Amino acid sequence: MNGNELYLRDKNVIADVLKLRFFPVVAQRGKGSTLTDADSKEYLDFSAGWAVANTGYCHPRIIKAANEQMQKLSFSSLTSIMSEESILLGEKICALIDGDFEKKVWFGHSGSDANELLAKMLPLATKRPRIITFVGSYHGMTMGSYSMSGHPAQSTFIGGGNVIKIAYPYCYRCPFAKELETCNFFCLKYVKEFVLGSVVPANQVGAIIAEAVQSDGGDVVPPKGYFKELQRICKDNGIYLIFDEVKVGYGRTGKMFGFNHDEVNPDAVVLGKPMASGQPLSAVVGRKEIMDAATGAHLFTTGGNPVACACGLETLAIIEDGKLIKNAAVIGDYLKNEFLLLAKRYDVIGDVRGRGLIIGIELVLDRKSKKPASDLAAVVSYRCYELGLILFCTGISSNVLEMTPPLVLTKDEAKKAVGIIERSLSDAINNRVDEKKVKEFAGWAI
Ligand code: PMP
């Protein structure tokens, strides 16, 4: 079947509630950083399937690990039958996290079910009913993780009343209209004095959950020292600090975890997307008292199954070797510098930010008003698709071009992508893209 036929049939049969589409690619094959569609057209994939394919598509070691495990034991349910693969992976993941406290690990399938564990277990474990999260955060699509999220795609939904959302340190659009050079982390002073002072008493708050780079919220990178200070506030008030590393963990930022860029020791860490190179696998690793808060209260029949864990072990071995992490830092720096140069020539680029291979280009109508150029971002993303580059939009106004390519990306591929992005920007600004086609895709539908 050709791509157009598949597109029309997908439209008929696949539910809109699972769609976050910017253009019509039907993937058929993948290798490294390249996807091939049903019409044999090749794309450089600057999404890695929303930051999942860190090791690249069809990595031979992952294929081997999956095949071997499939032949040995295709399935057993960790809920009631133990497996060597889950134990080995669990031990390795516990060892990745610092902090001299007892740790345990839980396995699931997605970032959503992993964050759901926190929504359920934190009040039980801490005997404190409230949880603090951030405006713009994305923690998942199940009821609890939805409630904890602050992205408009989720916060239109009436969630749990026990979640308080505070401002993320989004310095390009500081909600307190401060400048980083002189603000002295006013946003944290606000948390300490107002949020914990009167919005919710500190002794009612079990945890603060943060993304080290707020990814779907627009690839926002907090200033250095922010999390260290946040951890101090948490410690002073007996509040756990937890990082959702579902999207940036496993090397993407140029370090193993996004929070490794600041001096913090989280009480728990949430993992997902790239953990098993695409096999459904997620994890929460954290203090024993959270993970053992109740027996059998957060289990999923196929979560942490042997095939997913075997792929998880092999993925971790590939990432831990360090080459891909280093590549993320080097190629990420190269890309960011190229985009900073681009910003000198295109006024619609309001901000370029990122860490390693998570980079955002925020598009604005003009630099003074900073009004989000959401329609332009959708057109650029579509034009990139036409020119052979997969690139999605993020941000609370969907005006940020997000780059999260596989960590195996080469310099030549990066160069090629920069060329396509520049041409797409130019074509979009000069109305050389058919906007009717772009409008067929709802994107974030916000
Ligand atoms: N946490 C973060 C930080 C995410 O970016 C996402 C997905 N974008 C999730 C959780 C949810 O993950 P999943 O879609 O696998 O449920």
Side-chain angles (χ1 to χ4, degrees), residues 101-378:
F101 45 80
E102 272 191 86
K103 291 159 212 125
K104 277 190 145 181
V105 71
W106 166 95
F107 289 120
H109 318 83
S110 69
S112 301
D113 62 15
N115 278 303
E116 193 73 21
L117 180 151
L118 296 177
K120 265 157 95 174
M121 291 307 138
L122 282 172
L124 213 61
T126 62
K127 312 268 187 302
R128 294 175 173 206
R130 308 292 189 96
I131 297 170
I132 292 180
T133 62
F134 287 88
V135 174
S137 64
Y138 188 117
H139 298 298
M141 283 274 171
T142 53
M143 294 295 264
S145 61
Y146 222 118
S147 300
M148 298 195 308
S149 300
H151 193 288
Q154 294 138 308
S155 52
T156 44
F157 164 86
I158 299 169
N162 67 329
V163 179
I164 294 103
K165 291 165 197 169
I166 59 174
Y168 198 75
Y170 186 0
C171 302
Y172 178 66
R173 295 182 188 278
C174 175
F176 301 101
K178 301 276 181 195
E179 298 292 334
L180 179 60
E181 294 71 31
T182 51
C183 74
N184 285 322
F185 292 138
F186 182 82
C187 50
L188 287 178
K189 184 173 152 77
Y190 180 84
V191 169
K192 205 163 75 176
E193 294 179 10
F194 290 89
V195 177
L196 298 177
S198 74
V199 179
V200 54
N203 66 9
Q204 295 294 296
V205 179
I208 299 183
I209 304 172
E211 291 171 78
V213 174
Q214 197 180 69
S215 318
D216 293 341
D219 308 295
V220 182
V221 183
K224 186 121 192 93
Y226 174 86
F227 285 124
K228 192 176 171 200
E229 179 58 17
L230 181 65
Q231 181 147 63
R232 206 178 56 72
I233 296 171
C234 285
K235 286 219 163 108
D236 288 350
N237 290 286
I239 296 171
Y240 289 150
L241 178 60
I242 297 177
F243 279 89
D244 178 345
E245 289 275 327
V246 166
K247 194 158 168 187
V248 297
Y250 272 48
R252 178 157 296 285
T253 64
K255 292 190 189 276
M256 186 64 189
F257 296 114
F259 62 79
N260 291 147
H261 292 268
D262 230 328
E263 294 159 52
V264 286
N265 286 320
D267 298 287
V269 177
V270 186
L271 300 170
K273 296 184 189 262
M275 274 191 83
S277 296
Q279 290 305 303
L281 185 65
S282 63
V284 181
V285 51
R287 285 184 181 268
K288 185 176 182 304
E289 50 273 29
I290 303 172
M291 312 307 293
D292 284 350
T295 300
H298 197 61
L299 56 86
F300 298 87
T301 312
T302 56
N305 72 68
V307 176
C309 284
C311 292
L313 278 165
E314 201 58 31
T315 302
L316 190 54
I318 295 169
I319 297 289
E320 273 195 312
D321 155 298
K323 286 200 197 95
L324 295 190
I325 301 183
K326 181 142 186 270
N327 193 54
V330 173
I331 305 288
D333 277 353
Y334 164 76
L335 278 172
K336 207 165 117 190
N337 285 333
E338 289 294 310
F339 296 135
L340 286 168
L341 292 176
L342 217 58
K344 294 202 168 124
R345 280 181 280 129
Y346 289 87
D347 285 348
V348 292
I349 297 182
D351 196 24
V352 173
R353 53 188 178 242
R355 234 174 217 159
L357 281 176
I358 177 155
I359 299 174
I361 300 180
E362 175 152 3
L363 300 184
V364 290
L365 295 183
D366 62 83
R367 284 185 182 158
K368 192 153 182 292
S369 75
K370 293 187 181 177
K371 282 212 177 96
S374 316
D375 289 346
L376 179 67

Side-chain angles (χ1 to χ4, degrees), residues 32 45 47-57 252 273-274 277-278 405-408:
D45 185 3
S47 77
W50 288 110
V52 169
N54 284 19
T55 59
Y57 293 103
R252 178 157 296 285
K273 296 184 189 262
S277 296
L407 310 190
V408 295

Side-chain angles (χ1 to χ4, degrees), residues 6 24-30 35-39 41 43 57 390:
L6 287 164
V25 169
V26 182
Q28 214 157 61
R29 257 174 255 285
L35 277 183
T36 307
D37 77 5
D39 304 317
K41 177 177 166 187
Y43 302 84
Y57 293 103
I390 291 180

